[in-house]
Amino acid sequence: MGTIWEGHFVLELSDQSGNVISKMDLDRVYNEHLIFNSSFQIQFDDYNDDGDIDFTIGQHASSNGKVYKLFTLRKDGSIEELTVKGYSSLFVSNTTGFYSTKLTKVDNVSFKIEYYDNSKGENIEEVFRWDGEAFVRVEN
């Protein structure tokens, strides 16, 4: 019941007049059709201190959380996926939005995620730090 948008989606950056500056086909980074049940605001921040705006796009995963991919908007207007080494997506329970969430910044080049792990029966926290080319999980 209600709104359901399912299928192929493209991120578009356009100017104030509606002219498309750049676009990114999300089929290139997602292996499955995306589903959105409502419109949403993309939540922006700079997670690696490079001056480019970063953002997440996510999908429902379970009652315990959502899975997000991390993108950046370069100064030239191009949109790219940011690499999180060893992760195809980030599973996050503590979100600020459904289809886009702000990640909790630890410092200018690090963020943390929190999620509930059913197999352990506890909340897990993971920290990721930018190494110049990718976000890498910081071992505890």
Side-chain angles (χ1 to χ4, degrees), residues 55-73:
F55 61 97
T56 59
I57 299 289
Q59 293 285 279
H60 174 79
S62 74
S63 60
N64 290 331
K66 298 155 191 72
V67 289
Y68 293 95
K69 290 190 181 280
L70 187 56
F71 299 91
T72 192
L73 178 58

Side-chain angles (χ1 to χ4, degrees), residues 67-137:
V67 289
Y68 293 95
K69 290 190 181 280
L70 187 56
F71 299 91
T72 192
L73 178 58
R74 300 285 180 208
K75 288 174 187 64
D76 68 1
S78 62
I79 304 165
E80 298 174 18
E81 181 180 10
L82 288 174
T83 301
V84 181
K85 191 173 182 177
Y87 290 74
S88 61
S89 60
L90 299 169
F91 183 69
V92 183
S93 295
N94 188 12
T95 63
T96 61
F98 198 89
Y99 295 113
S100 183
T101 189
K102 279 197 171 206
L103 302 171
T104 304
K105 291 176 80 168
V106 174
D107 57 36
N108 287 346
V109 294
S110 303
F111 64 85
K112 69 178 178 178
I113 60 171
E114 298 174 46
Y115 61 90
Y116 183 76
D117 186 330
N118 280 340
S119 66
K120 296 179 180 177
E122 61 185 40
N123 287 316
I124 306 295
E125 186 176 283
E126 294 180 334
V127 175
F128 297 86
R129 177 177 293 282
W130 184 250
D131 72 358
E133 295 189 16
F135 283 100
V136 178
R137 184 173 177 262

Side-chain angles (χ1 to χ4, degrees), residues 7-13 22-34 57 69 71 79-81:
H8 305 281
F9 294 89
V10 174
L11 289 174
E12 281 188 355
L13 174 65
S22 69
K23 55 172 89 173
M24 176 185 208
D25 183 349
L26 290 177
D27 284 347
R28 291 187 346 195
V29 293
Y30 286 93
N31 296 326
E32 66 281 338
H33 285 172
L34 300 176
I57 299 289
K69 290 190 181 280
F71 299 91
I79 304 165
E80 298 174 18
E81 181 180 10

